[in-house]
């Protein structure tokens, strides 16, 4: 189980090898302004760390655009369409699964992208974050035709380009224990970070995929907020760590792959 000391030691190793470890931050499930969202955005500002908010277009409150500060370091992604589960109760939850026709799913995704573009303009990066981090792989080749340039799920990516014209950049750190719906604990959360960083350093995982922090502002308890503050502080001040905005993250390593 990992500790703050293990995180520092891993980043020190990157530094000793003359490398910088890239990170990016994706927060899911935004649809309306609120206290938790304000707190999240303030935390990003406090540490000077770029934040990518994955917004659910179907339920979106138009007030969201004005509630978010207009900073280059705050970018919006698309979180499915309505975040509704279409899988039967015997299967894992999925909005973008094989349970409906691809045409129906594609129409929703395109409508969602247009809504986000209309509301956020250039602040929106057309990258799709499938709810529950699951998507029918057979849908991936259709995404560029629907206007998407990026895809983000969870765990080290198998490939940077899962379909022609589509770039995948995942998350690797989940700070919530979803069975209990509370903070996962420092050791578990840090395991995600240290594990992915070490795998990249040894080239057991794609070294060019930035290590992704995944958060869910509506599910954070006090311990999750405390961890987030400390994690952002510890990484933002380490000389061998570098936080990327979503646009940079989806470009990173393009030539290398
Ligand atoms: Zn979600």
């Amino acid at each position: 189980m990992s500790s703050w000391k293990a995180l520092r030691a891993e980043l020190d190793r990157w530094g000793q090898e003359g490398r910088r470890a890239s990170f990016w931050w994706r927060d899911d499930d935004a649809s309306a302004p609120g206290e938790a969202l304000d707190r999240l955005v303030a935390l990003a500002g406090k540490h000077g760390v770029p934040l990518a908010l994955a917004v659910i277009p179907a339920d979106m409150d138009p007030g969201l655009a004005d509630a978010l500060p207009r900073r280059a370091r705050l970018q919006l992604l698309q979180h499915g369409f309505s975040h509704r589960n279409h899988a039967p109760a015997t299967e894992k939850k999925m909005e973008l699964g094989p349970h409906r026709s691809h045409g129906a799913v594609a129409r929703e995704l395109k409508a969602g992208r247009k809504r986000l573009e209309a509301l956020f303009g250039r602040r929106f990066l057309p990258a799709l974050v499938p709810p529950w981090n699951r998507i029918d792989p057979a849908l991936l080749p259709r995404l560029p035709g629907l206007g998407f340039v990026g895809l983000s799920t969870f765990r080290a990516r198998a490939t940077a380009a899962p379909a022609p014209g589509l770039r995948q950049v995942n998350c690797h750190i989940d700070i919530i224990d979803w069975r209990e719906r509370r903070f996962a604990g420092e050791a578990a959360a840090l395991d995600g970070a240290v594990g992915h960083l070490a795998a990249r350093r040894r080239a057991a995982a794609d070294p060019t995929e930035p290590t992704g922090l995944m958060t869910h502002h509506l599910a954070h308890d006090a311990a999750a907020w405390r961890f987030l503050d400390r994690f952002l502080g510890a990484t933002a001040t380490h000389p061998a760590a570098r936080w990327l905005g979503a646009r940079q993250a989806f470009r990173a390593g393009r030539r290398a792959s």
Side-chain angles (χ1 to χ4, degrees), residues 28-29 79 83:
D28 293 355
D29 298 344
H79 197 29
H83 215 301

Side-chain angles (χ1 to χ4, degrees), residues 143-214:
L143 295 181
L146 301 172
F148 294 98
V149 298
L151 171 74
S152 181
T153 62
F154 193 73
R155 291 188 206 295
R157 66 186 176 197
T159 168
L166 191 68
R167 182 141 195 104
Q168 184 162 10
V169 182
N170 290 347
C171 285
H172 315 87
I173 307 162
D174 186 356
I175 70 166
I176 301 296
D177 171 343
W178 288 101
R179 264 176 311 181
E180 307 283 340
R181 210 181 160 82
R182 65 177 186 210
F183 177 50
E186 285 187 345
L190 289 168
D191 266 352
V194 176
H196 188 244
L197 288 168
R200 288 172 66 192
R201 189 171 46 78
R202 299 188 197 114
D206 181 347
T208 63
E209 182 179 23
T211 296
L213 167 66
M214 179 176 73

